[in-house]
Amino acid sequence: METLVIPPGLTQISDYAFLRCKNLTSLKLPDSIKEIDRWAFLRCEKLEEVYLPDSLSFLGVGAFFACYALKRVYISEQTMQRIARVQRLDRYFDSISSLTFIDPPAGTPST
């Protein structure tokens, strides 16, 4: 599996749900996702880009830790501010210094 597209209607991704999904390179989440729990994508070592929806209100600690290839996180400024109020962004992404956070244009679908 290279691209994971979560179907609409799912609201939560549980702890360790995609642990060591070794071939995952791209993740696109629907607007129904509200929570990504702790370590949900831990050690997805080939994951390069993530599209986080505006509906996201909770991101668990270490959700994207050890995702060494991660380069781009598509997230609106509003969503980034909402999750950063809970904890610093480096609590969700361990390689934050090498990441580019991209605010997608308004109306751009996440899927």
Side-chain angles (χ1 to χ4, degrees):
M1 166 181 21
E2 290 184 5
T3 299
L4 175 62
V5 178
I6 303 286
L10 189 69
T11 60
Q12 179 182 10
I13 298 174
S14 299
D15 296 351
Y16 302 99
F18 294 95
L19 173 67
R20 292 189 177 128
C21 211
K22 295 199 183 274
N23 293 319
L24 182 62
T25 59
S26 180
L27 172 66
K28 297 181 180 184
L29 300 173
D31 288 334
S32 59
I33 293 288
K34 295 182 184 337
E35 298 180 15
I36 299 174
D37 292 333
R38 299 172 312 136
W39 318 109
F41 294 93
L42 178 66
R43 294 191 179 274
C44 292
E45 296 174 359
K46 293 182 181 177
L47 184 61
E48 295 179 5
E49 62 184 10
V50 174
Y51 295 81
L52 298 175
D54 289 340
S55 59
L56 187 66
S57 59
F58 176 80
L59 191 57
V61 171
F64 293 96
F65 268 36
C67 294
Y68 302 118
L70 190 58
K71 297 176 185 129
R72 294 172 302 281
V73 178
Y74 294 86
I75 182 172
S76 71
E77 183 66 31
Q78 177 183 0
T79 304
M80 187 183 305
Q81 288 176 5
R82 185 171 46 248
I83 64 170
R85 269 185 280 182
V86 178
Q87 295 198 44
R88 295 184 334 251
L89 289 176
D90 63 355
R91 300 287 291 157
Y92 312 118
F93 306 93
D94 61 345
S95 56
I96 196 164
S97 63
S98 62
L99 290 177
T100 300
F101 291 93
I102 301 166
D103 189 355
T108 302
S110 56
T111 55

